[in-house]
Amino acid sequence: MALQDLCNFQDFFLDSVTTKCSSELFGKKTGCDYVTGLPFSNSTSLFNFYIPVAEYLAENPINFGQISTIESSSAVSSEDSFLPSLPTSFPLSSSESVPLPFPMSHGTTTLAFMFQGGVLAAADTRSSCSGLVACPASQKILPIHSHLVGTTSGTSADCALWKRILARELRLYQLRHGRRISTGGAAKLLSHMLHPFKGTELCVAATLCGWDGGEVDGGAKIKMTGCGTSVDTSLETASLAKTQSSSPTIKECFSRKRSSFSGPSLCYVCSDGTRLQGKLFSVGSGSPYAYSILDQGVQWGLTVDEATSIAREAVYRATHRDAYSGNCVDVYHISSKGWTRRKREDLKEEYYREKERQERRRERQDVTPPQ
Amino acid sequence: MISSHSFGDNGKMKDYHYTGPVEHRFSPYAFNGGTVLAVAGEDFAIVASDTRLSEGYSIHSRDSPKCYKLTDTTVIGCSGFHGDCLTLTKIIDARLKMYKHSNNKSMTSGAIAAMLSTILYGRRFFPYYVYNIIGGLDEEGKGAVYSFDPVGSYQRDTYKAGGSASAMLQPLLDNQIGFKNMEGVQHVPLTKDKAVQLVKDVFISAAERDVYTGDALRICVITKEGINEQTIALRKD
């Protein structure tokens, strides 16, 4: 209930662009209003953020230029929408206007790559907070649905919450349209949801790894009898103002899209607006080290075991050299059947095994005399 | 706590060398100190906190515990800025009541944790300066601890220390409860009495080394019979 009211997202793309005060968008509410407004609010803003507006602040945290006074401090009206366009004066302030007395958690190594067996995603598990390890066993790879997994990098709170919102939106899409959204589509959705917060200190850098399937979701009432009939019912349930004449063309589009692509897919989304599709990504403070291992070993024809060992190796080397990465490694494999998770492995053991191997190598060199 | 010094503590005295004119802005935050600890066992959970409320070099109160009872099976410990702790607990209480009235049942610990995460994230751009730890029993009756950061990132743990002495206590808990960084030790499951004794010892150590922790220790032990509170004296200096 709470998340639903906080993150009301239904009319995001359908709302007409208005020039209303953006403060209403972000629902300037105090703590108490927040409580009373919730059960009855029908706000459609994405998230009711509380933005401090006191005069002592030199600049506003989300400086869209209009947060001075608002007409109504009651529940946000239903015509609310996102900002129509970027305001004219938009200082990309990197400093926070409310100086935070605590640090946020940052620093990581995550990587993902495509190969013939699907997509492999790996990440370390250390969550650091300016010098202190806040959590040695955090989860940086979050499953979003059965065939989509996202790696997270940046502030852990931001990543966790936005992933949750994304999972909710994807589920709604699936229920409305009867099929899972593609990875590229999910990436676009996430990128557009994060766009209003560009310039604020929100920090999310995620790679979405998924398998775009041709099969329709078996749970819904729409069955894969034939493209025509199934598309029809889904259109009727989902669309609002589609006329009969336009549906045949849309049917064609649907069937064409259906048969077009099925396979692994990898997308990188960043809160600064970057959205890239690719075959190999590594994100985080340890990414340069991971890239060097991956560039050496990754090719399309790898088996699942080979790919897993390369991913593990890359994270291991990155954790060895990067102070902000460490502890354990999580490996997820996404194939046409969905995602599977490998047991979390402590890299301390790997370090000792490596040392043993080096010892044995040195012993062998001592035994055979150099010639 | 070491890292809090770098964040412009209001009550701190200036250094003695002159660096030039410095503009002081009003900071809406203050650091009131205090340490909170939670441990989850097989069928119990413990939430403990000290009771000192300080600001800068002064002590405002020696009897301000930081554990707040939420339901019959959940206790939350909040440390950081006392004003935000009070408001946050009021909001949580109100939301619990709302849930109880609409759904005719109490919120489970996991649900409270998820709700708190969204409450905290709603203030992503002007955060509650509170380090929360929730301790309680989950639906199966097992102990659960959920630890949060000030903006809502959370996860379930077996033990966690938060607040001013957290950096000192967490390694000790890792060693004694998690049996980490020890070789050849048998992993014995923690009993309730041993856990309570451990918590007392741990806080005594914290009071020795952290100036913001001391005065008294409030321990809440949560079992299926209910919540049992005890208060133990700590160093008052």
Side-chain angles (χ1 to χ4, degrees), chain B residues 183-198:
Chain B
E183 301 286 325
V185 171
Q186 203 187 19
H187 289 358
V188 179
L190 203 62
T191 61
K192 184 161 68 105
D193 298 321
K194 189 150 191 302
V196 171
Q197 191 52 47
L198 187 66

Side-chain angles (χ1 to χ4, degrees), chain A residues 211-234:
Chain A
W211 184 283
D212 298 337
E215 31 134 5
V216 176
D217 174 40
K221 58 183 186 284
I222 299 158
K223 283 210 264 301
M224 189 66 158
T225 49
C227 269
T229 45
S230 52
V231 167
D232 235 341
T233 41
S234 72

